[in-house]
Amino acid sequence: MHNGVLLAIFSAFIFSVMNALIKAASETIPTSEIVFFRSLIGTVLILMLMRQARVRFSTTGVPLLVLRGIFGALYLLAFVYTIANIPIADAIILAYLSPFFVILFSHFVLKESLPRGAAIWLAVVLLGAAMIINPLKYESFNLYAIAGIASAAFAACASITIKKLSKRHHTYEIVFYFLFIATLISAYLMQGSFVMPQGIAWLYLFAIGAVSLLGQIFLTKAFTHENAAVVAVTRYIGIVFNILWGVLFWQEIPEALTLMGGVMIVVASMALGRKNKSASRSDSDTPSGKAPETAQESTSAR
C-alpha cells in the first residue's frame, strides 16, 4: 500500500477521534464553547507554524480571506452542533454532502457548467440524504439534521473561496483566518452560556484542538505522496471509524436507511468528484480555463 494512502487512512482515523472527542465534550460543554476552545488552540498553533515557516500576512485579498473565515466558522458551529445532538454516523454522512453543494453553488453562483451526467448523481445524493433524514419519521426530521446539511453547505462555500485564495495566499494564512474568525464568532455566541469545564472536559477541549491540527498535517502529507483523487476516495473510510466510535461509546447502531443513504452519498460524491476533476482538467487546456483543484485547496477546508 502506498504511503499516501496510509497517511490518508491515518488522517481519517485522527479526524474521527476528534469527532468522538467533540461528542464526548458536548455532554457537558455547549457547542459555541467547544468551537471557541478548538479555534483558539488552533489559532495559537497555526501562528507558531506561520512564524516557523516565516509566512507573512497579506495586505491584499483580505475581504475574501475574512469571507472564507466566516464560512468556515459557520461550518464548524453547525458541524459541532450536529454531532452533539444526533448519532455521530448520521452527522458525518451528512457532512459528506459537501461535494454536492460545491457543484451546485459553482453552477448557480459562479455560472460554471455542470459536468456531463452530474445531474443524475446529484439526484442520487439528494435521495441518500432523504433516506438519512427520513422526513416521514417526524422525530428524525429535525433542526439537528438540517444543521448537518447546513454544515456541508457552509463547507462547500469555504471550499469555493479557498479555490480562489490558494492561488495567492499560503495555506497557513487561509487556515489562520478560518480559526481566528471562528474564535471571535464563537466567543460572542457563548456569552451568557459559558460553562466552566470540569475534570476530563479540559482534556477533551485541549485534545480537540491538538488532534485537529495533527489530522490536518497527516492529510497534507497524504496529498504530497499520492494522487489527490486517490486520497479523496480513501478518506471516506472515516465513516467506518466514526460508526465504530458511535457503537462503542454511545451504543449508536446505524439504521438500515442510514447505511443505505450513506452508501448512496459516498458513491455519488466519488462520481461527482471524478466528473468535476475531469471537467476542470479539460477547462485548463484552454487559455480561459481554470486550474484544477490543488492539494492546498483541499487540505485547507477544515
Side-chain angles (χ1 to χ4, degrees):
M1 190 178 291
H2 294 165
N3 288 338
V5 173
L6 288 173
L7 288 167
I9 293 173
F10 194 47
S11 72
F13 174 78
I14 291 174
F15 279 125
S16 74
V17 171
M18 181 194 74
N19 296 333
L21 288 168
I22 288 173
K23 191 163 186 71
S26 69
E27 294 177 359
T28 56
I29 306 296
T31 294
S32 56
E33 193 172 334
I34 293 174
V35 173
F36 172 77
F37 278 101
R38 192 269 198 201
S39 303
L40 179 63
I41 294 169
T43 299
V44 173
L45 293 175
I46 201 68
L47 279 173
M48 293 170 61
L49 289 174
M50 289 179 71
R51 182 176 180 181
Q52 183 181 32
R54 297 182 180 179
V55 177
R56 295 185 177 181
F57 287 104
S58 303
T59 55
T60 59
V62 174
L64 191 58
L65 283 164
V66 171
L67 184 62
R68 181 273 181 269
I70 293 173
F71 283 141
L74 293 175
Y75 147 74
L76 191 55
L77 284 163
F79 180 67
V80 172
Y81 180 72
T82 306
I83 285 184
N85 291 285
I86 67 175
I88 193 169
D90 295 43
I92 300 307
I93 292 173
L94 288 174
Y96 274 104
L97 287 169
S98 182
F100 165 81
F101 286 110
V102 168
I103 291 180
L104 208 62
F105 294 159
S106 295
H107 177 65
F108 288 106
V109 179
L110 302 180
K111 306 302 180 184
E112 294 181 0
S113 299
L114 283 175
R116 185 176 300 175
I120 296 175
W121 291 113
L122 289 172
V124 173
V125 171
L126 283 177
L127 181 58
M131 293 174 70
I132 295 171
I133 297 171
N134 193 4
L136 299 178
K137 189 177 179 182
Y138 178 76
E139 58 268 28
S140 67
F141 186 67
N142 49 38
L143 181 62
Y144 309 133
I146 294 173
I149 295 173
S151 73
F154 287 131
C157 291
S159 296
I160 291 173
T161 58
I162 290 168
K163 187 173 184 179
K164 293 184 177 295
L165 288 168
S166 61
K167 297 175 183 178
R168 295 186 177 182
H169 300 273
H170 195 280
T171 300
Y172 288 167
E173 183 182 25
I174 298 173
V175 174
F176 168 81
Y177 272 88
F178 158 43
L179 295 172
F180 180 66
I181 291 175
T183 301
L184 295 179
I185 293 177
S186 57
Y188 174 78
L189 292 176
M190 74 177 185
Q191 293 182 88
S193 63
F194 180 81
V195 175
M196 180 60 68
Q198 301 293 328
I200 197 170
W202 281 112
L203 177 62
Y204 289 152
L205 292 172
F206 282 107
I208 288 167
V211 167
S212 63
L213 185 62
L214 185 63
Q216 197 69 64
I217 291 171
F218 278 101
L219 182 58
T220 302
K221 288 183 178 296
F223 275 107
T224 63
H225 285 81
E226 186 58 80
N227 178 276
V230 174
V231 173
V233 171
T234 304
R235 289 183 65 202
Y236 281 105
I237 197 173
I239 294 177
V240 177
F241 294 137
N242 282 283
I243 290 176
L244 178 63
W245 303 141
V247 172
L248 287 178
F249 298 114
W250 293 280
Q251 291 74 53
E252 297 173 346
I253 309 298
E255 296 182 356
L257 277 179
T258 295
L259 294 175
M260 291 172 61
V263 170
M264 292 173 68
I265 289 173
V266 169
V267 171
S269 295
M270 289 167 58
L272 286 169
R274 193 160 54 243
K275 286 182 176 294
N276 202 33
K277 285 186 178 295
S278 297
S280 298
R281 203 174 295 118
S282 298
D283 289 343
S284 65
D285 291 336
T286 64
S288 59
K290 295 181 180 180
E293 184 185 32
T294 64
Q296 187 184 65
E297 296 159 14
S298 301
T299 55
S300 301
R302 280 181 178 262

